[in-house]
Amino acid sequence: MKILVTGGTGYIGSHTVVELQQSGYEVVIADNLCNSNAGVLDGIARITGVRPAFEELDLTEGEKVRELFARHRDIGAVIHFAALKAVGESVQKPLEYYRNNLNSLMNVLASMRECGVKHLVFSSSCTVYGQADVLPVTEQTPRKPAESPYGNTKTMCEDILRDVAKVEQGMNLLALRYFNPIGAHPSACIGELPNGVPNNLIPYLTQTVAGIREQLSVFGDDYHTPDGSAIRDYIDVVDLARAHVVAIRRLMEGKNKANYEYFNIGTGNGLSVLELIRAFERATGEKVNYKIVGRRAGDIEQVWADTTLANRELGWKAEVPIEETLANAWKWQKHLME
Ligand code: NAD
Ligand code: WQD
């Protein structure tokens, strides 16, 4: 069975391609390489022994997407990762974000309908919850108005899936709401590719320890949390990748309970920024040079997932201990500098 993985040379996509191939699926990747490079295919091949088929194309071009589906008539399901994802940049370039993220999804759905491809797994985000009133967040927790155009594209894409599922009864659409994906494959053959100065905590932290950045800024120690720093649910990228394999299997085996479903994908544990720094130091024996600074605009105070639904319905659970995840993130950083 062939799976189309859009954005498959990206961070989460590449780890998912590895898990899919290791579970016996054939993969074709479609990516325009706007935030990744074709060298990732070598990394995937080193781990799995199989180089996935690769189609370089921009998914906002509907005709190109149609031709892609025509070239691969045996696509049985799609995992749609392709999107622009930088929150701050989306505030500066809202049109680019709406155009890229919405058109890509709509083109993929239109071609699926034309070609009779039934199953799709979509990358959503805990960003749709904003600062929830009650923690942990369940799938029933109300979504809040998005803080950024990027976040809004996730809410809007979820709405598109819900509306399409209502009329396309033969289609099965499933959104995974990721919490904070971190880490890298334990082989250090693939991982997150830094693009300029990182905004996210872990790449900034590992680059600081590597001497590329002078000091990590911890954004705020005056939150209403036990140590004052903000809390997130950090999910290992290989655990996250595995969630896609079980989601695909659920759809292909017809085990879904509705033709649009959504699941939280996190560990179920909240960790503060300061706790994460300590865990990194324990895991690697390295010292993190950091200072406390003011809060970052737009940050929420705390969020972590209730993963009961994914545990029960998908039979999936996060397994990698945080120290192992952080050790893999460090191993990947060192690999990037070789
Ligand atoms: P990434 O940037 O590493 O991967 C996305 C890939 O999509 C890149 O390889 C990029 O080149 C490709 N792409 C983007 N627009 C495209 C287009 N129009 N046509 C073809 N390819 C295109 O990002 P990631 O961290 O792997 O994220 C994957 C998905 O997960 C995204 O949808 C993202 O919004 C979502 N997500 C990510 C996080 C996170 O923290 N990393 C959290 C929640 C949700
Ligand atoms: C984590 C924590 C920061 C950098 C973002 C998106 C979200 C989702 C995941 C896609 C926060 C603190 C960070 C630094 C710090 N992506 N921090 N110093 O903001 O939780 O989520 O990625 O859907 O939509 O918003 O992730 O890694 O940027 O921050 O203290 O240099 O680390 O304040 O508490 P975030 P992050």
Side-chain angles (χ1 to χ4, degrees):
M1 176 60 75
K2 194 188 275 182
I3 315 286
L4 169 63
V5 181
T6 76
T9 44
Y11 174 43
I12 305 167
S14 57
H15 289 79
T16 302
V17 170
V18 165
E19 297 303 311
L20 285 167
Q21 292 192 158
Q22 289 181 335
S23 303
Y25 293 103
E26 189 186 345
V27 170
V28 55
I29 292 175
D31 201 301
N32 65 356
L33 304 180
C34 71
N35 198 36
S36 56
N37 66 67
V40 172
L41 301 169
D42 300 328
I44 295 171
R46 270 202 299 282
I47 301 169
T48 64
V50 180
R51 199 183 165 82
F54 176 63
E55 296 269 5
E56 185 175 342
L57 68 110
D58 186 335
L59 295 154
T60 63
E61 295 180 38
E63 197 46 43
K64 294 271 165 57
V65 178
R66 224 169 278 132
E67 288 163 13
L68 167 76
F69 276 80
R71 276 195 300 279
H72 298 272
R73 293 231 167 261
D74 50 345
I75 291 171
V78 180
I79 307 183
H80 184 57
F81 290 105
L84 298 174
K85 64 161 180 178
V87 176
E89 184 186 59
S90 79
V91 177
Q92 300 307 318
K93 300 180 177 173
L95 280 179
E96 281 83 347
Y97 272 68
Y98 287 119
R99 180 181 165 276
N100 193 74
N101 294 1
L102 300 182
N103 285 345
S104 295
L105 175 67
M106 290 190 291
N107 285 338
V108 167
L109 285 170
S111 280
M112 286 175 65
R113 186 177 59 180
E114 271 165 40
C115 299
V117 179
K118 293 196 169 85
H119 313 298
L120 176 120
V121 175
F122 173 73
S123 300
S124 191
S125 168
C126 67
T127 193
V128 301
Y129 296 117
Q131 181 56 71
D133 301 327
V134 181
L135 291 166
V137 293
T138 73
E139 287 76 358
Q140 269 65 57
T141 300
R143 296 182 314 179
K144 292 227 166 133
E147 294 276 347
S148 69
Y150 165 74
N152 207 21
T153 68
K154 291 298 169 195
T155 307
M156 292 167 89
C157 284
E158 285 194 354
D159 290 348
I160 290 171
L161 296 179
R162 180 202 60 207
D163 293 346
V164 169
K166 268 185 209 151
V167 290
E168 301 292 339
Q169 286 297 318
M171 275 182 144
N172 299 308
L173 312 175
L174 188 154
L176 298 178
R177 291 175 175 164
Y178 316 155
F179 281 65
N180 285 53
I182 61 166
H185 196 270
S187 65
C189 291
I190 52 171
E192 195 168 5
L193 292 169
N195 185 6
V197 181
N199 290 310
N200 294 119
L201 177 60
I202 290 301
Y204 205 104
L205 185 158
T206 56
Q207 288 192 6
T208 303
V209 177
I212 301 168
R213 313 276 156 215
E214 209 180 310
Q215 197 171 41
L216 171 71
S217 296
V218 172
F219 298 138
D221 69 346
D222 57 351
Y223 285 111
H224 297 107
T225 59
D227 66 21
S229 64
I231 292 177
R232 299 287 184 275
D233 185 336
Y234 296 95
I235 170 84
D236 186 274
V237 68
V238 175
D239 274 336
L240 174 57
R242 283 194 304 105
H244 294 79
V245 179
V246 294
I248 281 289
R249 204 172 282 141
R250 174 181 180 85
L251 297 182
M252 307 251 248
E253 290 176 356
K255 296 204 168 125
N256 47 312
K257 299 225 163 110
N259 73 330
Y260 172 50
E261 296 183 309
Y262 42 95
F263 297 95
N264 287 343
I265 302 294
T267 64
N269 297 315
L271 219 59
S272 75
V273 177
L274 293 172
E275 284 173 330
L276 196 81
I277 292 172
R278 304 247 156 71
F280 183 89
E281 292 182 334
R282 268 199 314 277
T284 63
E286 302 287 339
K287 194 101 197 75
V288 180
N289 177 19
Y290 71 88
K291 63 166 186 257
I292 312 276
V293 301
R295 295 180 182 191
R296 181 171 68 178
D299 266 352
I300 59 163
E301 181 171 270
Q302 44 187 331
V303 67
W304 68 95
D306 181 323
T307 60
T308 310
L309 193 68
N311 299 159
R312 192 182 68 223
E313 289 295 320
L314 300 176
W316 170 92
K317 188 164 152 294
E319 283 169 6
V320 184
I322 188 72
E323 282 81 7
E324 212 172 303
T325 301
L326 294 169
N328 288 334
W330 179 229
K331 197 169 158 190
W332 171 245
Q333 177 62 53
K334 286 190 290 186
H335 167 82
L336 284 174
M337 298 189 305
E338 277 167 7

